[in-house]
Amino acid sequence: MLDEHNVRRGGALPGPVKQYGQDDGPCLQALRSGEEIIVPDMLDESRWGDYPAYAVSCGIRSSFSLPIASDTHTAGALNLYAGPADGFEQTDLTALRSLAAQATGGIALAQRISDTQEFADQLRTAMQSRSVIDQALGVIMGQRRCTADAAFGILRSASQHRNIKLRDLCTELITNLTGQAPTTPELRPRA
């Protein structure tokens, strides 16, 4: 098997790089299909164009690719390579499958955390925008002695006419009226 020692002394892992260049190979098939791909002997392999011949020229006769996080927004594959043919035939693959499953769980959790953070950021921005818009609505209602709906219509029309975002128009209105930018609530997570 190609290992860290081979990489450090100048050997390269030819599998993924060549596959990405031709957009096909066992790694990408595992990633796309969500299924394990075992190649007992690259000399007998007819899939993936010239990749098998390239792998053999690099000293790889067999490979094992496991999908990672195939049902998430971020997917990958764990790839193992062996010099001899049938390099994985006598190997207990349970630990490798477990590692792929743990990596899948970690990636899925990281994706959920990222999605949650993005949603929280969007809510924070919306709350800050809403605060500025509400302040401007109050100003228009006081000046024009109109309802909130009528004031919103006035602001929306001005925003469209000037081709600027409603929040930016409202910020400008409050800043021009008070001499300072409007304050927005500071939202913080619980400590």
Side-chain angles (χ1 to χ4, degrees):
M1 241 188 277
L2 287 180
D3 57 19
E4 187 178 330
H5 175 71
N6 285 332
V7 173
R8 271 192 260 147
R9 68 171 197 207
L13 294 176
V17 175
K18 176 70 171 175
Q19 292 176 66
Y20 300 149
Q22 68 182 34
D23 197 32
D24 201 12
C27 167
L28 294 174
Q29 185 174 340
L31 182 146
R32 291 173 179 147
S33 70
E35 298 175 4
E36 294 177 359
I37 306 296
I38 295 178
V39 179
D41 192 345
M42 289 288 180
L43 287 176
D44 298 334
E45 189 56 63
S46 60
R47 298 173 287 181
W48 313 305
D50 64 351
Y51 172 75
Y54 176 77
V56 169
S57 75
C58 293
I60 295 173
R61 291 281 300 275
S62 57
S63 71
F64 181 47
S65 299
L66 297 113
I68 296 176
S70 58
D71 296 328
T72 67
H73 300 295
T74 306
L78 173 62
N79 301 291
L80 297 120
Y81 304 97
D86 299 315
F88 299 96
E89 187 174 73
Q90 301 298 321
T91 305
D92 180 5
L93 303 176
T94 305
L96 295 172
R97 289 178 176 126
S98 177
L99 177 63
Q102 290 176 8
T104 293
I107 289 170
L109 177 60
Q111 187 67 53
R112 280 195 303 273
I113 290 169
S114 175
D115 290 348
T116 301
Q117 182 61 50
E118 184 178 333
F119 182 67
D121 291 344
Q122 290 170 352
L123 284 176
R124 189 175 296 111
T125 299
M127 292 293 291
Q128 290 171 339
S129 294
R130 184 63 200 203
S131 175
V132 171
I133 292 168
D134 284 346
Q135 291 175 46
L137 284 173
V139 169
I140 298 298
M141 289 168 64
Q143 289 177 344
R144 302 273 178 104
R145 300 196 186 283
C146 62
T147 66
D149 286 341
F152 186 79
I154 292 167
L155 290 172
R156 183 181 60 226
S157 177
S159 168
Q160 291 171 347
H161 178 72
R162 292 184 52 197
N163 196 27
I164 63 173
K165 292 181 181 178
L166 182 62
R167 180 182 193 276
D168 294 341
L169 175 76
C170 294
T171 298
E172 184 181 307
L173 173 71
I174 299 299
T175 302
N176 288 340
L177 183 67
T178 66
Q180 48 188 310
T183 58
T184 58
E186 188 175 331
L187 304 172
R188 289 186 234 161
R190 287 183 283 189

